[in-house]
Amino acid sequence: MYSEPEKRISEKALKVWRISGVIKSVIGWSITGLAIFLLHIFDGPSWISMILIVLGVIFPCLHIFVFPALRWRRWRYDVREEELELQEGIFIVSRTLVPMVRVQHVDTVQGPILRKYNLASVVVHTAATAHEIPALKEDEAEELRFYISKLARVAEEDV
């Protein structure tokens, strides 16, 4: 049995995921506020408003404080000559092996929040799907992109 992957993503990922949680919460509060307003205008049952208010408090707390910490603690990866291994998940832990012979190309992706914290994500594409290693330091992401690309080329030449 293989041990779990050892490499971790940047600890700055917590800030990025918390900012993302705040943005999602603001959107959720806007929708909830509109729903409560419409329920009030059309004399809807008040218990629905109460449930929406309770959910409007619980979900942001989970997405801003609890889930980012759990997600960061679980996220790990390893790059070996033959394969890429990813481990992620909060409640359901997923471990994925991507054979290097299946890798078609590798990208680095950087949105505005990742750019603010000098982070980037590495996306490994196969014929069927794409696998992302989120929130690595920019230089680490670039090195990893070249390293995976090099290993994929070597694996392809062996076939």
Side-chain angles (χ1 to χ4, degrees):
M1 170 132 185
Y2 290 104
S3 61
E4 68 180 17
E6 295 180 6
K7 294 183 181 172
R8 292 180 165 256
I9 58 176
S10 172
E11 204 164 337
K12 292 179 182 176
L14 284 169
K15 290 180 185 174
V16 171
W17 290 337
R18 286 186 174 137
I19 290 170
S20 176
V22 168
I23 293 169
K24 290 175 187 173
S25 296
V26 168
I27 293 170
W29 288 330
S30 300
I31 294 170
T32 302
L34 178 66
I36 291 171
F37 176 74
L38 291 175
L39 282 170
H40 180 73
I41 294 292
F42 294 109
D43 290 329
S46 61
W47 61 271
I48 294 176
S49 297
M50 295 303 292
I51 289 174
L52 289 174
I53 291 170
V54 169
L55 292 176
V57 172
I58 291 174
F59 281 116
C61 289
L62 290 174
H63 287 282
I64 295 170
F65 301 109
V66 178
F67 289 161
L70 293 174
R71 188 175 172 201
W72 181 82
R73 196 173 301 153
R74 182 75 66 188
W75 234 111
R76 294 171 187 255
Y77 71 97
D78 262 339
V79 179
R80 302 182 195 107
E81 287 188 25
E82 301 289 323
E83 67 221 1
L84 167 69
E85 183 171 8
L86 309 171
Q87 175 182 298
E88 62 182 312
I90 296 174
F91 300 112
I92 298 172
V93 179
S94 168
R95 289 180 72 177
T96 305
L97 282 174
V98 180
M100 286 298 171
V101 295
R102 301 283 184 216
V103 174
Q104 292 188 333
H105 67 278
V106 186
D107 294 331
T108 52
V109 177
Q110 191 179 41
I113 300 173
L114 288 175
R115 193 174 316 126
K116 177 177 176 19
Y117 290 99
N118 298 322
L119 299 174
S121 298
V122 175
V123 182
V124 178
H125 296 269
T126 63
T129 188
H131 304 277
E132 182 177 351
I133 303 172
L136 297 171
K137 293 176 187 169
E138 281 179 329
D139 55 341
E140 185 181 351
E142 283 297 315
E143 288 175 18
L144 188 61
R145 182 172 64 98
F146 280 113
Y147 184 63
I148 291 172
S149 171
K150 182 180 169 186
L151 289 176
R153 238 179 283 138
V154 170
E156 197 170 273
E157 291 171 0
D158 290 344
V159 174

